[in-house]
Amino acid sequence: NSKALLIGSVAPDIPLILIAAGTIATDLAQGNMRNDAVTPYTQMLFENWFFETIWVKTAHNLFHGPLAVLFYILIGYWAWRSGKKWGPPLFWFAMAAMGHTLLDIPVHYDDGPLLLFPFNFNLRFYSPVSYWDPNRYGLPFTIFEHLVDVLCLIWLWRDWRQSKKLSTEAA
């Protein structure tokens, strides 16, 4: 279940990362990379396709749309209660994806998850905060996010050290 939690916590961003990698590769292959500006295909992805292209919206919201993720949670819970082996991993994967989604919604100015996906491909929460835009509290949020990252790494390191110590004592 810890693997499912870990994968579910990053799964909402994976489709967009893969699409962006494709646009960057295309820009590189076509010689579009420039030091002074975003490149044509990558710029199209984040300025147009992300907001207007159905397949990009679908890919980005498969594990980001709260209703879709709630559906996965319910299916995982049902399967778990029915004794199916895949139920608990799906449940915890979806719970982690929901946690990611619920954290994303208030820190995306106009590019957050589609709230009613797959029934509505346009409704988003417009937050006064953007996790990246310095004009919308991006700098304080970035500092906060990095502090949380450091605390999580310290916690994981301590947990790893403790488990290693316990396994050494048991041997």
Side-chain angles (χ1 to χ4, degrees):
N1 292 335
S2 59
K3 287 180 185 176
L5 279 167
L6 180 62
I7 295 167
S9 69
V10 297
D13 290 335
I14 299 300
L16 188 60
I17 289 169
L18 293 174
I19 295 168
T23 62
I24 291 168
T26 301
D27 284 330
L28 281 169
Q30 294 185 359
N32 294 333
M33 298 303 285
R34 302 189 310 261
N35 292 334
D36 61 337
V38 177
T39 55
Y41 287 104
T42 305
Q43 184 174 358
M44 284 293 295
L45 171 62
F46 289 107
E47 290 180 4
N48 182 286
W49 300 342
F50 182 85
F51 296 100
E52 298 175 16
T53 305
I54 293 296
W55 73 268
V56 173
K57 288 178 168 186
T58 300
H60 181 64
N61 285 280
L62 281 175
F63 305 114
H64 243 141
L67 292 181
V69 177
L70 179 60
F71 177 72
Y72 308 145
I73 290 170
L74 294 173
I75 294 296
Y77 183 74
W78 169 82
W80 187 357
R81 299 287 293 176
S82 298
K84 306 211 182 304
K85 288 181 110 174
W86 53 269
L90 176 59
F91 176 81
W92 290 113
F93 169 90
M95 288 296 287
M98 184 63 87
H100 179 127
T101 295
L102 293 176
L103 288 171
D104 266 4
I105 290 170
V107 295
H108 283 261
Y109 169 68
D110 66 351
D111 59 347
L114 295 171
L115 298 177
L116 299 177
F117 174 84
F119 304 107
N120 182 311
F121 279 73
N122 296 308
L123 182 64
R124 300 178 195 269
F125 174 72
Y126 288 88
S127 174
V129 177
S130 170
Y131 76 98
W132 65 268
D133 186 347
N135 296 320
R136 294 189 171 85
Y137 311 102
L139 183 58
F141 184 81
T142 298
I143 293 168
F144 170 76
E145 181 180 21
H146 290 308
L147 286 173
V148 169
D149 291 343
V150 168
L151 291 173
C152 288
L153 288 171
I154 290 169
W155 179 74
L156 288 169
W157 177 77
R158 284 184 54 212
D159 190 53
W160 174 78
R161 296 261 309 166
Q162 183 66 23
S163 66
K164 188 173 179 176
K165 181 179 175 184
L166 290 173
S167 67
T168 303
E169 290 173 359

